[in-house]
Amino acid sequence: LPAGPYILPGLIDAHVHIESSMLVPSAFARLATIHGTVGTVSDPHEVANVLGMQGVHFMINSGKRVPFHFNFGAPSCVPATSFESTGAAITANDIRELLEMDEVKYLSEMMNYPGVIYDDKEVQKKLEYAGAAGKVVDGHAPGLGGEPLRKYVSKGISTDHECTTIEEAREKLSLGMKILIRECTPAQNFNTLIELLHTDPGSVMFCTDDSNPTELIHGHINLLVKRALVKGHDLFDVLRAATLNPKRHYGLENGLLQEGDSADLIVIDNLADFNVLQTFVKGIKVAENGQSLIAPVQEETPNRFHCRPVSPTDFSLPATGSEIRVIEAIDGQLITLSGKAKARIENGFAVSDIDNDLLKIVVINRYKEAPPVIAFVKNFGLKRGAIASTVAHDSHNIIAIGTNDADLAGVVNLLVKHQGGYALCDGSDEDIFPLPVAGLMTNADGFEVAAKFEALRQKARAQLGSSLQSPFMTLSFMALLVIPELKLSDKGLFDGKNFEFTTLFI
């Protein structure tokens, strides 16, 4: 092939929650287009859990203010489960209203797979409304197989981005599902699944799901394209996964360099380095040589936050046994393991055990006053202090992990004061990165956001001693009940395999 440069279709992220970038949609577009992304298939269920329909419309309206193809879905599971408290709910009637909008392209990931399998009436209505609107339904079924999977797929659910093994992906492909290969800090599945591009190039797409700004400043879908090419995959199979397949599956409007198409294209230097030189969206040059040409947009800052300050005694936990269940975090994965350990007990209270890396984890309802729910987590490796966040999928209550109750109270109160963000407390040393939009996002420039978040991440590792690659990102998924095995909500410790609450003390 000639040396280049080359003109190629613009890239599409086939499943992403814009909120996880910590950027409002208009700011996300400024960063993503630098790397050749011209559009996304975006599920706004994070902000919907906080603000409901107001949040969905906020995302749509923000996206309209810049040249970019934001293809939003109707959030199917708000709340994701009945085992947690959210700031709002999206009903079946709300879903029908959203699906009638041209801006809403699909029904977002159906995380309530038990509701699908056991014919929950509200879930069935949502699926029927999607069918009546002629819009596809995204899936979310980690580890599901056999007859339950066949029932799930028979309801018209067409994709899955939760596969962690090649065997799981192949079973889902055999039933007609499309597989979205996901790669981001908390869920790295690219190396495991990329061989599907050899066998099923028409049924594979690329996605990031939850990408933080530190990742986005370095690259986006272009990095997955480059990695696939380095592994020797056919150029056109790779480009299909990043452009054609999502367009066809979701009925998107992004152009593919065909006559009459929207002029959504990128210019790259060569096929080896795959450096994006220019990006065009709808015929407008939006990025060149690593610089955004999209003007910043100032957005409103809607939020929902009703939570009182706490004291260290709020985290006192009377010991009712000597053995506890422990959430075992896994670096680079959303899944956790369910372990057991001997509790450290002082004066009749269970406390953090730094020597054995058994730390208190707490979740506090941020939408109304309620006492904290307390459990223990392993593998964060904190030696001192505490970290906390209002980014806590999917309900986005306050979640915190700490080595002592004083720092736990300090870090939670920092979030209460600023009404959301990522925070760290180590005695008198307090640090916070505020997120004024729903406690999830900010209007700030993406590079500024990345720098602040990276500084906080490094502080949690260097000063507090966390051994995780990205402790704040991992923390944000410790309340995600729809991902097994053991998680914590504001209502209690949750067994994700049996989909029911369980006890802390055994």
Side-chain angles (χ1 to χ4, degrees):
L1 292 172
Y6 286 90
I7 297 174
L8 300 174
L11 309 178
I12 301 292
D13 188 331
H15 176 77
V16 62
H17 304 284
I18 302 297
E19 304 97 311
S20 292
S21 71
M22 305 174 217
L23 304 171
V24 294
S26 57
F28 176 92
R30 297 185 73 236
L31 201 53
T33 50
I34 290 171
H35 308 301
T37 302
V38 300
T40 57
V41 180
S42 305
D43 178 3
H45 80 213
E46 313 295 358
V47 72
N49 272 283
V50 180
L51 298 173
M53 291 285 276
Q54 177 193 5
V56 178
H57 289 297
F58 170 86
M59 300 296 280
I60 292 171
N61 291 333
S62 175
K64 287 180 176 179
R65 301 180 72 179
V66 292
F68 193 85
H69 292 282
F70 285 105
N71 300 287
F72 287 106
S76 69
C77 299
V78 178
T81 74
S82 61
F83 303 102
E84 55 200 311
S85 301
T86 62
I90 301 288
T91 67
N93 286 335
D94 292 332
I95 292 290
R96 178 166 57 181
E97 177 185 324
L98 289 170
L99 289 169
E100 290 173 353
M101 298 174 60
D102 291 338
E103 297 93 336
V104 176
K105 300 295 184 183
Y106 67 109
L107 182 63
S108 298
E109 56 182 307
M110 180 50 73
M111 296 181 289
N112 187 3
Y113 53 85
V116 176
I117 294 165
Y118 297 110
D119 299 313
D120 178 270
K121 290 183 179 179
E122 188 78 357
V123 169
Q124 294 306 311
K125 283 183 182 178
K126 294 174 182 179
L127 295 171
E128 289 168 6
Y129 291 153
K135 295 181 179 179
V136 299
V137 182
D138 256 6
H140 169 116
L144 198 65
E147 187 56 38
L149 177 62
R150 285 189 283 275
K151 175 73 176 288
Y152 185 76
V153 175
S154 74
K155 297 295 184 177
I157 299 169
S158 60
T159 70
D160 191 83
H161 59 272
E162 295 290 346
C163 294
T164 57
T165 69
I166 197 77
E167 293 77 17
E168 179 184 356
R170 284 175 176 153
E171 181 181 7
K172 289 172 177 175
L173 281 166
S174 72
L175 295 173
M177 297 187 91
K178 303 291 194 298
I179 298 301
L180 280 56
I181 297 177
R182 173 178 60 188
E183 187 77 356
C184 59
T185 293
Q188 299 170 10
N189 309 130
F190 179 90
N191 287 337
T192 300
L193 302 178
I194 192 59
E195 289 308 307
L196 296 174
L197 208 54
H198 279 316
T199 56
D200 299 90
S203 299
V204 171
M205 299 174 236
F206 293 141
C207 78
T208 60
D209 200 359
D210 295 286
S211 278
N212 68 54
T214 307
E215 294 174 307
L216 279 172
I217 63 171
H218 297 297
H220 194 211
I221 298 299
N222 60 315
L223 297 183
L224 303 188
V225 169
K226 182 176 178 179
R227 285 173 62 180
L229 293 174
V230 168
K231 284 181 173 289
H233 291 276
D234 178 78
L235 169 65
F236 292 99
D237 287 344
V238 174
L239 292 180
R240 284 174 70 183
T243 61
L244 177 62
N245 291 348
K247 176 182 173 68
R248 282 184 172 172
H249 185 73
Y250 294 100
L252 308 182
E253 297 168 2
N254 59 290
L256 294 174
L257 300 182
Q258 303 295 309
E259 186 176 351
D261 274 2
S262 173
D264 307 310
L265 54 96
I266 60 176
V267 180
I268 65 166
D269 55 353
N270 58 71
L271 296 173
D273 299 313
F274 212 88
N275 293 314
V276 179
L277 306 178
Q278 295 176 323
T279 305
F280 294 81
V281 177
K282 304 175 186 177
I284 301 168
K285 187 194 293 185
V286 293
E288 186 168 27
N289 297 324
Q291 299 295 317
S292 175
L293 303 179
I294 299 174
V297 176
Q298 191 62 33
E299 306 281 5
E300 296 179 352
T301 56
N303 201 353
R304 184 165 289 141
F305 204 102
H306 304 287
C307 191
R308 65 172 176 82
V310 297
S311 65
T313 56
D314 289 321
F315 302 112
S316 297
L317 180 63
T320 59
S322 60
E323 192 175 24
I324 53 175
R325 289 185 173 85
V326 178
I327 301 169
E328 296 185 1
I330 302 172
D331 204 3
Q333 295 294 335
L334 303 187
I335 60 171
T336 59
L337 300 178
S338 178
K340 298 177 182 180
K342 185 177 180 180
R344 181 174 180 176
I345 300 173
E346 296 180 356
N347 301 318
F349 294 93
V351 299
S352 290
D353 183 351
I354 299 172
D355 294 337
N356 292 303
D357 190 23
L358 297 174
L359 305 179
K360 273 188 184 176
I361 178 171
V362 303
V363 176
I364 305 173
N365 187 332
R366 71 144 148 150
Y367 306 109
K368 67 178 182 180
E369 290 191 9
V373 175
I374 306 168
F376 286 85
V377 68
K378 188 176 181 64
N379 296 332
F380 272 78
L382 297 181
K383 303 301 182 186
R384 55 190 296 160
I387 60 174
S389 174
T390 50
V391 179
H393 305 279
D394 281 316
S395 296
H396 303 296
N397 289 299
I398 293 174
I399 189 167
I401 290 175
T403 59
N404 63 83
D405 293 349
D407 284 334
L408 273 173
V411 79
V412 168
N413 287 337
L414 202 55
L415 291 178
V416 172
K417 178 181 178 181
H418 291 271
Q419 298 204 328
Y422 288 98
L424 176 152
C425 180
D426 183 15
S428 61
D429 184 4
E430 296 182 342
D431 203 349
I432 185 166
F433 173 37
L435 296 172
V437 180
L440 302 175
M441 295 172 284
T442 174
N443 279 312
D445 173 75
F447 285 95
E448 177 186 341
V449 172
K452 289 182 177 179
F453 183 70
E454 177 63 12
L456 204 61
R457 182 186 78 89
Q458 292 291 1
K459 197 170 184 178
R461 286 168 53 85
Q463 182 172 319
L464 304 192
S466 177
S467 54
L468 293 177
Q469 178 185 0
S470 187
F472 285 100
M473 289 297 285
T474 302
L475 173 66
S476 70
F477 289 99
M478 292 299 101
L480 183 55
L481 308 188
V482 294
I483 301 287
E485 290 182 358
L486 192 64
K487 298 289 171 69
L488 185 68
S489 87
D490 70 295
K491 295 183 179 181
L493 192 61
F494 191 76
D495 179 343
K497 292 184 72 175
N498 295 309
F499 228 70
E500 62 186 15
F501 286 118
T502 187
T503 58
L504 173 60
F505 290 95
I506 301 170

